[in-house]
Amino acid sequence: GAVVSQHPSWVICKSGTSVKIECRSLDFQATTMFWYRQFPKQSLMLMATSNEGSKATYEQGVEKDKFLINHASLTLSTLTVTSAHPEDSSFYICSARTPRRGPQETQYFGPGTRLLVL
Amino acid sequence: AQKITQTQPGMFVQEKEAVTLDCTYDTSDQSYGLFWYKQPSSGEMIFLIYQGSYDEQNATEGRYSLNFQKARKSANLVISASQLGDSAMYFCAMRSNNAGNMLTFGGGTRLMVKP
């Protein structure tokens, strides 16, 4: 299957700092990437849809000024958690939509980034 | 709006036996896709199997098969010959082909395979 990477895999930071997470599609071009957040023992919750060359679409309740998304190229989307606070501690996962359209379209997920804000 | 329900928060299965993980969905769309993902403790989401709403045959991928009952709006995952490495969280997800192609996830089922 397609390969999606995330960097870093682990982040521990002090409250008030900003953290940037990168999501890369390694062997295909992804015009659309998705960012999810997963709290312990819970399901994935979609935060935003990242479209190459345009503004991200945020889900209801997600602060766009706090979670900055930049999809500058067809293989890279970044999520920046600005002025992180302990309640932002979570597992952040990105996915990239394969170029193939139609019924067989699939999202492939990155390995995730664990963020711990002290 | 789409909704995915997984009613089994946790399940045990004996190694080498088959297990069925339940998934029901609710949508008013005619065209949609159903997915199952496996999430081991490492956190990565591993794509397992896909079923399209217009597919007449149940999808199969190795030891995984999807029992698709469209009238009941269910898409249960069947894992045959369970292995210890199958212990993980399993998520059912639905993609509406009319709603930006985003995925909606169920709450997940934790499967534990006993030796």
Side-chain angles (χ1 to χ4, degrees), chain A residues 78-91:
Chain A
T78 61
L79 168 69
T80 301
V81 183
T82 63
S83 186
H85 290 283
E87 58 265 30
D88 298 324
S89 300
S90 186
F91 188 55

Side-chain angles (χ1 to χ4, degrees), chain B residues 25-40:
Chain B
Y25 60 92
D26 189 20
T27 182
S28 57
D29 294 331
Q30 298 300 311
S31 178
Y32 51 88
L34 296 157
F35 299 79
W36 276 93
Y37 288 89
K38 172 184 178 182
Q39 187 181 41

Side-chain angles (χ1 to χ4, degrees), chain A residues 45-73:
Chain A
M45 296 299 295
L46 179 66
M47 298 174 66
T49 302
S50 171
N51 297 300
E52 188 269 335
S54 64
K55 292 183 179 180
T57 303
Y58 290 82
E59 295 301 301
Q60 192 173 9
V62 178
E63 300 175 57
K64 60 179 67 176
D65 293 332
K66 181 166 187 62
F67 299 99
L68 301 178
I69 292 173
N70 187 330
H71 195 153
S73 77

Side-chain angles (χ1 to χ4, degrees), chain A residues 38 43 91 97 103 105 107 114, chain B residues 37 39 43 50 95 101 106:
Chain A
Q38 185 181 28
S43 187
F91 188 55
R97 192 166 74 186
E105 179 191 297
Q107 287 185 31
R114 297 190 187 277
Chain B
Y37 288 89
Q39 187 181 41
Y50 166 85
R95 181 196 70 222
N101 294 312

Side-chain angles (χ1 to χ4, degrees), chain B residues 40-59:
Chain B
S41 57
S42 60
E44 60 184 312
M45 295 288 285
I46 302 169
F47 166 71
L48 296 179
I49 196 167
Y50 166 85
Q51 179 86 42
S53 57
Y54 292 117
D55 294 342
E56 295 185 352
Q57 290 191 333
N58 287 341

